[in-house]
Amino acid sequence: MSTTTGTTRGPRPTRNTGTLAIGASRGRLELREFFRRKEAVVFTFSLPAFILLLLGSVFNEDMVGTGVSMSQLFTASMIGAGILSTSFITLGVGVANDREDGTLKRLRGTPMPAAAYFIGKLVLVAVASLAEVVLLLAVGVLLFDVELPTDPARWLTFAWVFALGVVSCSLLGIAASALAKSARSAPAVMNLPYIGLQFISGVFISPIIALPAAMVGVASFFPLKWICQGMRSVFLPDSATALEMAGTWEHGLTALVLGAWCVVGLALCLATFRWTNK
Protein backbone atom coordinates (compact mmCIF):
# COMPACT_ATOMS: atom_id res chain seq x y z
CA MET A 1 0.00 0.00 0.00
CA SER A 2 1.36 3.33 -0.94
CA THR A 3 1.86 6.09 1.59
CA THR A 4 2.19 9.79 1.20
CA THR A 5 4.26 12.24 3.14
CA GLY A 6 3.35 15.68 4.28
CA THR A 7 6.30 17.20 2.46
CA THR A 8 5.37 19.70 -0.23
CA ARG A 9 7.72 20.52 -3.04
CA GLY A 10 8.12 23.96 -4.51
CA PRO A 11 8.04 24.62 -8.25
CA ARG A 12 10.88 23.02 -10.13
CA PRO A 13 13.39 25.52 -11.50
CA THR A 14 13.06 26.16 -15.20
CA ARG A 15 15.94 25.74 -17.62
CA ASN A 16 16.31 29.52 -17.93
CA THR A 17 16.38 29.93 -14.15
CA GLY A 18 19.06 27.27 -13.89
CA THR A 19 21.12 28.94 -16.61
CA LEU A 20 20.92 32.33 -14.89
CA ALA A 21 21.90 30.82 -11.54
CA ILE A 22 24.86 29.01 -13.07
CA GLY A 23 25.81 32.17 -14.96
CA ALA A 24 25.73 34.21 -11.73
CA SER A 25 27.92 31.62 -10.03
CA ARG A 26 30.27 31.71 -13.00
CA GLY A 27 30.32 35.50 -12.73
CA ARG A 28 31.50 35.32 -9.11
CA LEU A 29 34.29 32.99 -10.20
CA GLU A 30 35.28 35.36 -13.02
CA LEU A 31 35.43 38.27 -10.57
CA ARG A 32 37.64 36.36 -8.14
CA GLU A 33 40.02 35.33 -10.91
CA PHE A 34 40.10 38.85 -12.35
CA PHE A 35 40.89 40.62 -9.08
CA ARG A 36 43.58 38.05 -8.24
CA ARG A 37 45.60 39.28 -11.23
CA LYS A 38 46.78 42.46 -9.54
CA GLU A 39 48.87 43.72 -12.44
CA ALA A 40 45.97 43.40 -14.88
CA VAL A 41 43.58 45.05 -12.43
CA VAL A 42 45.90 48.02 -11.85
CA PHE A 43 46.49 48.51 -15.58
CA THR A 44 42.81 48.14 -16.51
CA PHE A 45 41.59 50.70 -14.01
CA SER A 46 44.54 53.08 -13.83
CA LEU A 47 45.11 53.73 -17.56
CA PRO A 48 41.85 55.66 -18.26
CA ALA A 49 42.21 57.52 -14.94
CA PHE A 50 45.83 58.38 -15.71
CA ILE A 51 44.94 59.67 -19.19
CA LEU A 52 42.10 61.74 -17.70
CA LEU A 53 44.44 63.19 -15.06
CA LEU A 54 47.02 64.03 -17.72
CA LEU A 55 44.67 65.58 -20.28
CA GLY A 56 42.52 67.33 -17.69
CA SER A 57 45.56 68.96 -16.09
CA VAL A 58 47.08 70.13 -19.36
CA PHE A 59 43.87 71.30 -21.07
CA ASN A 60 41.78 72.96 -18.37
CA GLU A 61 40.59 76.22 -19.93
CA ASP A 62 36.90 77.14 -19.96
CA MET A 63 34.85 76.66 -23.11
CA VAL A 64 33.43 80.12 -23.78
CA GLY A 65 29.66 80.41 -23.48
CA THR A 66 29.07 76.89 -22.19
CA GLY A 67 29.96 77.01 -18.49
CA VAL A 68 32.08 73.88 -19.05
CA SER A 69 35.84 73.45 -18.77
CA MET A 70 37.93 71.23 -21.02
CA SER A 71 38.79 69.01 -18.04
CA GLN A 72 35.09 68.45 -17.32
CA LEU A 73 34.52 67.61 -20.96
CA PHE A 74 37.39 65.10 -20.84
CA THR A 75 35.93 63.53 -17.69
CA ALA A 76 32.54 62.81 -19.25
CA SER A 77 34.06 61.50 -22.47
CA MET A 78 36.66 59.38 -20.69
CA ILE A 79 33.88 57.61 -18.79
CA GLY A 80 32.67 56.30 -22.14
CA ALA A 81 36.19 55.23 -23.06
CA GLY A 82 36.53 53.51 -19.69
CA ILE A 83 33.41 51.45 -20.39
CA LEU A 84 34.84 50.41 -23.75
CA SER A 85 38.11 49.41 -22.08
CA THR A 86 36.57 47.26 -19.35
CA SER A 87 34.14 45.56 -21.74
CA PHE A 88 35.59 45.31 -25.24
CA ILE A 89 39.24 44.79 -24.30
CA THR A 90 38.65 42.75 -21.14
CA LEU A 91 36.41 40.27 -22.94
CA GLY A 92 38.41 40.20 -26.16
CA VAL A 93 41.61 39.34 -24.34
CA GLY A 94 39.91 37.14 -21.72
CA VAL A 95 38.05 34.95 -24.21
CA ALA A 96 41.21 34.57 -26.32
CA ASN A 97 43.08 33.40 -23.20
CA ASP A 98 40.30 30.98 -22.26
CA ARG A 99 40.38 29.56 -25.77
CA GLU A 100 44.15 29.07 -25.84
CA ASP A 101 44.60 27.54 -22.38
CA GLY A 102 41.80 25.04 -22.96
CA THR A 103 39.28 26.56 -20.54
CA LEU A 104 36.63 26.88 -23.24
CA LYS A 105 37.19 23.32 -24.45
CA ARG A 106 36.82 21.95 -20.92
CA LEU A 107 33.70 23.99 -20.23
CA ARG A 108 32.21 22.84 -23.52
CA GLY A 109 32.56 19.26 -22.32
CA THR A 110 30.66 19.89 -19.07
CA PRO A 111 26.88 20.00 -18.56
CA MET A 112 27.07 23.77 -17.98
CA PRO A 113 24.92 25.64 -20.53
CA ALA A 114 27.02 27.65 -22.98
CA ALA A 115 24.95 30.75 -22.19
CA ALA A 116 26.10 30.56 -18.54
CA TYR A 117 29.70 31.18 -19.61
CA PHE A 118 28.73 34.40 -21.38
CA ILE A 119 26.48 35.51 -18.52
CA GLY A 120 29.46 35.09 -16.20
CA LYS A 121 31.58 37.27 -18.48
CA LEU A 122 28.88 39.95 -18.57
CA VAL A 123 28.74 39.94 -14.76
CA LEU A 124 32.50 40.53 -14.69
CA VAL A 125 32.30 43.34 -17.22
CA ALA A 126 29.33 45.04 -15.54
CA VAL A 127 31.07 45.13 -12.14
CA ALA A 128 34.42 46.22 -13.62
CA SER A 129 32.79 48.92 -15.76
CA LEU A 130 30.85 50.33 -12.82
CA ALA A 131 34.04 50.41 -10.74
CA GLU A 132 35.81 52.22 -13.59
CA VAL A 133 33.04 54.82 -13.77
CA VAL A 134 33.26 55.43 -10.02
CA LEU A 135 37.03 55.90 -10.22
CA LEU A 136 36.83 58.34 -13.14
CA LEU A 137 34.04 60.30 -11.47
CA ALA A 138 36.13 60.53 -8.31
CA VAL A 139 38.98 62.06 -10.33
CA GLY A 140 36.58 64.46 -12.05
CA VAL A 141 34.79 65.54 -8.88
CA LEU A 142 37.89 65.93 -6.72
CA LEU A 143 40.21 67.56 -9.26
CA PHE A 144 38.12 69.10 -12.04
CA ASP A 145 34.96 70.35 -10.26
CA VAL A 146 32.61 67.94 -12.01
CA GLU A 147 29.20 68.10 -10.35
CA LEU A 148 27.16 64.94 -9.91
CA PRO A 149 23.62 65.37 -11.26
CA THR A 150 20.73 65.75 -8.83
CA ASP A 151 18.00 65.20 -11.42
CA PRO A 152 16.77 61.55 -11.36
CA ALA A 153 16.15 61.75 -15.12
CA ARG A 154 19.88 62.18 -15.72
CA TRP A 155 20.67 59.10 -13.64
CA LEU A 156 18.06 57.19 -15.64
CA THR A 157 19.88 58.29 -18.79
CA PHE A 158 23.13 57.11 -17.24
CA ALA A 159 21.57 53.70 -16.48
CA TRP A 160 20.39 52.95 -20.02
CA VAL A 161 23.47 54.37 -21.73
CA PHE A 162 25.67 52.35 -19.36
CA ALA A 163 23.65 49.15 -19.88
CA LEU A 164 23.50 49.40 -23.67
CA GLY A 165 27.15 50.43 -23.83
CA VAL A 166 28.33 47.52 -21.70
CA VAL A 167 26.25 44.92 -23.58
CA SER A 168 27.13 46.16 -27.08
CA CYS A 169 30.87 46.52 -26.38
CA SER A 170 30.99 43.17 -24.56
CA LEU A 171 29.41 41.34 -27.49
CA LEU A 172 31.80 43.04 -29.90
CA GLY A 173 34.73 42.08 -27.68
CA ILE A 174 33.67 38.43 -27.72
CA ALA A 175 33.28 38.54 -31.50
CA ALA A 176 36.63 40.33 -31.98
CA SER A 177 38.40 37.66 -29.91
CA ALA A 178 38.07 35.37 -32.94
CA LEU A 179 40.45 37.69 -34.84
CA ALA A 180 43.28 36.95 -32.40
CA LYS A 181 45.23 33.90 -33.53
CA SER A 182 46.71 33.53 -30.04
CA ALA A 183 46.39 34.96 -26.55
CA ARG A 184 49.66 36.82 -27.07
CA SER A 185 48.30 38.73 -30.07
CA ALA A 186 44.92 39.51 -28.48
CA PRO A 187 45.94 42.77 -26.71
CA ALA A 188 47.26 44.22 -29.96
CA VAL A 189 44.12 43.19 -31.86
CA MET A 190 41.87 44.77 -29.21
CA ASN A 191 43.86 47.95 -28.56
CA LEU A 192 44.15 49.04 -32.20
CA PRO A 193 40.42 49.84 -32.66
CA TYR A 194 40.17 51.01 -29.04
CA ILE A 195 42.82 53.70 -29.47
CA GLY A 196 41.69 54.68 -32.95
CA LEU A 197 38.07 55.13 -31.91
CA GLN A 198 39.08 57.37 -29.01
CA PHE A 199 40.70 59.84 -31.42
CA ILE A 200 37.76 60.03 -33.83
CA SER A 201 35.00 59.87 -31.20
CA GLY A 202 35.88 63.04 -29.31
CA VAL A 203 37.71 61.50 -26.36
CA PHE A 204 41.32 62.56 -26.87
CA ILE A 205 40.39 65.51 -29.09
CA SER A 206 37.64 67.59 -27.49
CA PRO A 207 35.23 69.09 -28.18
CA ILE A 208 34.08 66.76 -30.91
CA ILE A 209 33.18 69.71 -33.14
CA ALA A 210 36.94 70.32 -33.50
CA LEU A 211 37.19 67.13 -35.57
CA PRO A 212 36.56 66.96 -39.33
CA ALA A 213 32.93 66.14 -40.11
CA ALA A 214 33.98 63.13 -42.20
CA MET A 215 35.93 61.68 -39.28
CA VAL A 216 32.98 62.10 -36.92
CA GLY A 217 30.78 60.52 -39.56
CA VAL A 218 32.93 57.40 -39.42
CA ALA A 219 32.87 57.41 -35.61
CA SER A 220 29.07 57.64 -35.71
CA PHE A 221 28.91 54.08 -37.04
CA PHE A 222 30.49 52.74 -33.83
CA PRO A 223 29.27 52.63 -30.21
CA LEU A 224 31.97 54.72 -28.50
CA LYS A 225 30.90 58.05 -29.98
CA TRP A 226 27.37 57.55 -28.70
CA ILE A 227 28.40 56.25 -25.27
CA CYS A 228 30.59 59.33 -24.76
CA GLN A 229 27.85 61.65 -25.99
CA GLY A 230 25.35 59.99 -23.67
CA MET A 231 27.69 60.39 -20.71
CA ARG A 232 28.26 64.05 -21.55
CA SER A 233 24.50 64.54 -21.45
CA VAL A 234 24.48 63.13 -17.90
CA PHE A 235 27.41 64.94 -16.33
CA LEU A 236 27.52 68.24 -18.25
CA PRO A 237 24.96 71.07 -18.30
CA ASP A 238 22.62 71.43 -21.27
CA SER A 239 24.61 74.47 -22.41
CA ALA A 240 27.31 72.01 -23.47
CA THR A 241 25.12 70.88 -26.39
CA ALA A 242 26.77 73.75 -28.26
CA LEU A 243 29.88 71.54 -28.36
CA GLU A 244 28.06 68.63 -30.06
CA MET A 245 27.96 68.15 -33.81
CA ALA A 246 24.14 68.16 -33.90
CA GLY A 247 23.72 70.82 -31.21
CA THR A 248 21.59 68.43 -29.12
CA TRP A 249 22.16 65.32 -27.00
CA GLU A 250 20.32 63.07 -29.50
CA HIS A 251 19.13 60.60 -26.86
CA GLY A 252 16.80 58.83 -29.26
CA LEU A 253 19.51 58.26 -31.84
CA THR A 254 21.95 57.19 -29.11
CA ALA A 255 19.53 54.49 -27.91
CA LEU A 256 18.86 53.39 -31.49
CA VAL A 257 22.54 53.04 -32.43
CA LEU A 258 23.58 51.29 -29.23
CA GLY A 259 20.56 48.98 -29.39
CA ALA A 260 21.39 48.13 -32.99
CA TRP A 261 24.97 47.30 -32.00
CA CYS A 262 23.66 44.92 -29.34
CA VAL A 263 21.83 43.03 -32.08
CA VAL A 264 24.76 43.19 -34.51
CA GLY A 265 27.19 42.14 -31.78
CA LEU A 266 25.08 39.12 -30.91
CA ALA A 267 24.89 38.12 -34.57
CA LEU A 268 28.66 38.46 -34.93
CA CYS A 269 29.21 36.34 -31.80
CA LEU A 270 26.99 33.58 -33.16
CA ALA A 271 28.78 33.69 -36.51
CA THR A 272 32.40 33.88 -35.34
CA PHE A 273 32.71 32.38 -31.86
CA ARG A 274 35.08 29.39 -31.59
CA TRP A 275 35.55 27.08 -28.61
CA THR A 276 39.09 26.12 -29.69
CA ASN A 277 41.87 27.69 -31.74
CA LYS A 278 41.59 24.93 -34.30
Side-chain angles (χ1 to χ4, degrees):
M1 183 176 62
S2 62
T3 60
T4 59
T5 64
T7 303
T8 58
R9 295 182 179 178
R12 297 179 63 184
T14 63
R15 180 180 179 85
N16 288 338
T17 302
T19 300
L20 289 174
I22 296 172
S25 178
R26 179 73 193 176
R28 290 192 293 270
L29 176 62
E30 293 280 357
L31 286 169
R32 285 199 300 269
E33 291 182 349
F34 176 75
F35 284 103
R36 283 173 181 168
R37 299 192 295 268
K38 293 181 175 59
E39 296 84 358
V41 171
V42 170
F43 181 80
T44 298
F45 289 113
S46 65
L47 182 59
F50 174 75
I51 293 175
L52 171 59
L53 181 62
L54 184 65
L55 293 177
S57 300
V58 174
F59 305 100
N60 56 8
E61 63 271 15
D62 292 334
M63 308 298 293
V64 178
T66 65
V68 174
S69 67
M70 283 286 288
S71 55
Q72 292 168 339
L73 193 61
F74 279 126
T75 299
S77 299
M78 190 58 68
I79 289 173
I83 292 173
L84 182 65
S85 173
T86 52
S87 55
F88 179 76
I89 294 181
T90 297
L91 281 193
V93 174
V95 172
N97 284 329
D98 287 348
R99 183 182 294 120
E100 183 165 292
D101 66 14
T103 298
L104 284 178
K105 185 177 181 179
R106 291 192 297 272
L107 290 176
R108 187 59 170 166
T110 67
M112 185 186 78
Y117 170 78
F118 300 105
I119 292 173
K121 289 293 187 184
L122 285 175
V123 169
L124 165 64
V125 164
V127 173
S129 297
L130 190 58
E132 184 71 84
V133 170
V134 171
L135 175 59
L136 292 171
L137 277 178
V139 174
V141 170
L142 295 175
L143 299 180
F144 304 132
D145 298 323
V146 173
E147 296 184 2
L148 297 179
T150 57
D151 184 359
R154 287 185 176 251
W155 286 113
L156 179 61
T157 299
F158 169 81
W160 65 258
V161 172
F162 178 84
L164 290 176
V166 166
V167 172
S168 60
C169 293
S170 296
L171 291 171
L172 290 174
I174 294 171
S177 70
L179 299 175
K181 296 186 180 299
S182 67
R184 182 176 298 178
S185 65
V189 172
M190 299 300 124
N191 275 291
L192 179 60
Y194 170 64
I195 294 174
L197 285 174
Q198 287 184 91
F199 276 100
I200 68 175
S201 300
V203 178
F204 290 156
I205 301 176
S206 292
I208 196 170
I209 56 175
L211 293 168
M215 188 176 292
V216 177
V218 173
S220 298
F221 285 101
F222 299 97
L224 181 58
K225 186 261 186 188
W226 301 102
I227 299 172
C228 293
Q229 186 169 308
M231 290 303 169
R232 290 195 292 269
S233 76
V234 173
F235 297 108
L236 299 181
D238 288 336
S239 58
T241 54
L243 304 174
E244 301 295 332
M245 296 296 290
T248 65
W249 294 128
E250 299 180 290
H251 283 154
L253 188 56
T254 299
L256 180 63
V257 173
L258 293 180
W261 272 110
C262 290
V263 176
V264 172
L266 179 59
L268 290 173
C269 286
L270 294 174
T272 63
F273 185 77
R274 297 178 286 113
W275 293 95
T276 66
N277 276 338
K278 295 181 180 180

